[in-house]
Amino acid sequence: MTQDVRTLAVTVEGGKLSVRTYGDPSKPTVLLVHGYPDTQAVWDGVVSELVDDFHVVTYDTRGIGASKGPLFKHGYTLELLADDLYAVADVVAPDRPVHLVGHDWGSIQAWEAVTRADSAERFLSYTSISGPCLDHAALWTRAGMRKPTPKAAARSLKQALASWYIVVFHLPVGPRVAWRLGLAKQWPRIIRAIEGTRLDPSPTLHRDGSRGVLYYRANMLPKMRHPEERPTTVPVQVLTPTGDRFVTPALAAQAPAPWTERLYVRKVHGGHWIVVKKPALIAERIREFVQSSIATPGGPEPVRSLLRAEAKQGTKDRPEFEDKLVVITGAGSGIGRATALAFAEKGADIVVADIDAVAAARTVELVELLGARGYPYTVDVSSGEAMEAFANDVKATAGVPDIVVNNAGIGMSGSFLATEVKDWEKILGVNVWGVIHGARCFGEMMRERGEGGHIVNLASAAAYTPSRTLSAYSTSKAAVLMLSECLRAEFARYGIGVSAICPGFIATNITRTTKFVGQSAEQQERTRQRITGLYRRRNFGPDKVAERIVDAVRRDKPVVPVALEAKAGKAISRLSPALARRMAKIDPTG
Ligand code: NAI
């Protein structure tokens, strides 16, 4: 990193600020403000990611790191801290506005700056990470208390509990002494334990931790007691890290809504110190926002997730999945098509993939009749190359999906000894490899994007119900079920849920396309007709499975047996495996 690093000292009222600038000053300026108890070094990773495209500026806030500041709390009011921020911006970019980014206390200070009357002349955009405007926060809490619904009370309580340390910081001596006596030494270990990330402590941490307590003491109580209405016209992007122990997403997302004209709230997966943990992700979100036409007149159209973030603001009654992109394989028929329609009805855009192009096109027509957008794709899920090309095309055309339903599957029935190698290859190719390819290609994209998501895999009750006539199909579905459980455990850390669906006997085309191994063409036709008749009489439609799939996503359910027989099979497999083994010997096709 750090080609063209310059250090400056900016004199301000009651202090002197140590400022670093990186990169080409003729490029747009991005000014990064650090939080507590960090120094500007907390941005090092983000700076490396941004420096090729921007003139990046960091500084130690007053009294912290290499910056000088007063000894008493009245020298740390937000008004002075915002004055400092303006002073730095004036020095590094005297004749043009800058893009502002704040983390933690840096975000609190930056809010103070962008909510000043003249802020639009100084700032083109503001990205806030884990630090609310204190006035907005106080007004949001009061509004919650005026209309005390259980939900609002729960939200406020959660935030109050997350703010325990603020109370501690107001105790007369303890916290400041603690920093000097040993807390600073323990700090990296504490951060590793609670955040799972390495944080290199600055050599001034013992002093910064203690001095930073004055930031809290100078501002928290006055702002909570006498909050002001602080609107801004500067476009604001709020990044809400999942697992943030100090600022709840509800506060970060809701408090600024009444006071911002253009607000974009975007979830990022990581903890409070996400700027250290995932600098590339944070830099990407900053870049997307700063370079888009929202923040840079004449810039490119905002990326899809920014547009969605804007669409969500102030809208309570919008369809539940309006801002989502759902990919469904095998969506040309049966459960896949019904799922496409269920999500479309709830406002999602749907990528309809099927090996049958005509069937996919028809589903897209139906999706569009519901007012959603549909993208038809012809793809064979058993081909790794085809799936990779498909996934890349989806990303380029429609964006990274939020939900992927690995549904494409085929049936196969008959004895194990009559099942030839090519039959095994076929069914494992579609039913198992199809799911593996879908989860790999899209799972990787979702992880990279860092906003979580959901993967649904169509398993079957056959996954846990042995049968002498379903060795190939059951084996393939047992693999899907186990893969789903393993993925769920692995992907949880990325905020990606995984559900396995076990439908039961569902009246779809599958009975007409199932291969009955060991039977002649005529025998197969007769068996198909008989089984299709049985399924039809069972009268359980794919729309009911689709409803349960939507619910599995909504509630992040691990395994969903749908019809009664799927639930009963699950109960029997648990309570009496011996009974399950006896039932396995029955031939329902015979
Ligand atoms: P369906 O036959 O009505 O629909 C399956 C769709 O997948 C078809 O449109 C087909 O063209 C497509 N497809 C087949 N092979 C493909 C491939 N290689 N690449 C891309 N698309 C392909 O079947 P249904 O019933 O809707 O099945 C959907 C899923 O639900 C399957 O995984 C199936 O195993 C599972 N399932 C179905 C049950 C049922 O009773 N219908 C019960 C348990 C599970």
Side-chain angles (χ1 to χ4, degrees), residues 134-158:
L134 294 187
D135 298 272
H136 297 171
L139 293 168
W140 175 77
T141 309
R142 284 174 186 210
M145 288 190 312
R146 270 200 302 278
K147 277 196 227 153
T149 61
K151 223 172 163 184
R155 272 198 305 260
S156 301
L157 181 67
K158 207 168 163 200

Side-chain angles (χ1 to χ4, degrees), residues 288 291-294 298-304 306-307:
E288 283 169 356
Q291 289 182 335
S292 75
S293 57
I294 301 166
E301 268 283 281
V303 295
R304 183 188 166 88
L306 267 170
L307 286 175

Side-chain angles (χ1 to χ4, degrees), residues 129-130 239-244 247 249 266-272 274:
I129 310 161
S130 290
L239 300 181
T240 58
T242 56
D244 190 330
V247 182
R266 303 171 81 191
K267 191 164 85 175
V268 279
H269 197 68
H272 183 76
I274 193 165

Side-chain angles (χ1 to χ4, degrees), residues 87-103:
V88 173
D90 285 344
V91 169
V92 297
D95 45 12
R96 61 202 169 114
V98 305
H99 299 279
L100 185 58
V101 181
H103 173 242

